[in-house]
Amino acid sequence: MKKTLSIIALSIIGLGLVSCKKEENKELQNSETITPDSTNTLPGDSLPPRAQNNPAAGEVATPAVSNQPLTTVALSESNFDFGNIKKGDKVNHVYEITNTGKNPLIISEVKPGCGCTAPEFTKDPILPGKKGKITLSFDSSSFDGAVQKYADVFANVEKAPIKLTFNANIQAK
C-alpha cells in the first residue's frame, strides 16, 4: 500500500515538473479594461477562504474570487516581452494596475501557470484612482528557445481572472 501511494505521489510531482516545461497554448485576453455590469454582493461581505487543490482526487479547484463589490481596472500592459535572455537568467517585470472603478480593488491571488514563475502583488486594497503592482519573476533555467508564460490575477472584477502574459527567447550561455 505504501509503495502504491509513493508511486502515485511521484507521478503527480513528475507531471507537475513536465507540465512546467511544456509551452502553454492558452488563449490570451485581448481586453485590458474590465467593466462590471452589476454588483451582486453586499457591502461588508468578507473574502471567501482560498480554494484548495486536491490532486489525489483528480480535482483542481480554481482560486476563490472575491465577494467584495465589483470595480473596474486598467492595466499598463497585459503582455511583456523580455526579448533575448540567457538560459538560467532570473528576470522580473512589474505590471501596473489602476483601479478605475468606484469600489476598492482587492487582489485576492495571483496564480502563475508554471512553477518557473513567482508572483508578488499589492495586498492592501487599492482605492479608486490609485495604482497597485503585480510583479512576475521568471526563472529561465529549464527552458530553451521561445517561451510564453502567464499568470491569472484573481480580484473583485467581473471578468476574473485577468490574464497577464510574458514572452522570452532563451539562449544558451
Side-chain angles (χ1 to χ4, degrees):
M1 181 70 174
K2 286 184 181 180
K3 193 173 193 179
T4 303
L5 288 175
S6 296
I7 292 172
I8 291 171
L10 289 173
S11 297
I12 292 170
I13 292 169
L15 285 174
L17 293 173
V18 170
S19 67
C20 190
K21 292 185 180 183
K22 290 184 181 177
E23 189 68 30
E24 287 92 0
N25 290 322
K26 302 284 184 181
E27 185 175 318
L28 299 179
Q29 181 177 346
N30 291 332
S31 174
E32 291 190 7
T33 301
I34 291 123
T35 309
D37 290 333
S38 64
T39 57
N40 55 4
T41 57
L42 299 173
D45 282 352
S46 62
L47 290 172
R50 286 188 174 180
Q52 299 295 317
N53 292 339
N54 186 358
E59 298 175 12
V60 177
T62 56
V65 177
S66 171
N67 281 336
Q68 297 295 320
L70 297 178
T71 192
T72 57
V73 299
L75 294 167
S76 57
E77 62 197 333
S78 61
N79 185 36
F80 180 76
D81 188 353
F82 285 109
N84 295 330
I85 62 174
K86 299 285 185 200
K87 184 177 181 105
D89 282 356
K90 294 177 181 164
V91 294
N92 62 60
H93 181 69
V94 177
Y95 298 82
E96 192 173 85
I97 187 166
T98 304
N99 182 350
T100 59
K102 296 181 179 176
N103 295 311
L105 171 64
I106 299 168
I107 302 172
S108 56
E109 184 171 3
V110 178
K111 187 173 183 180
C114 177
C116 59
T117 304
E120 286 187 31
F121 58 94
T122 302
K123 307 248 185 330
D124 295 328
I126 302 165
L127 298 176
K130 300 296 180 185
K131 297 177 189 231
K133 294 179 181 178
I134 301 165
T135 303
L136 298 181
S137 300
F138 172 63
D139 182 351
S140 66
S141 299
S142 300
F143 301 93
D144 295 298
V147 296
Q148 181 176 35
K149 299 294 176 185
Y150 72 94
D152 288 328
V153 178
F154 293 86
N156 58 325
V157 295
E158 182 179 273
K159 295 182 181 179
I162 302 165
K163 191 171 292 290
L164 299 178
T165 60
F166 62 84
N167 306 306
N169 187 28
I170 290 66
Q171 300 177 329
K173 285 188 172 185

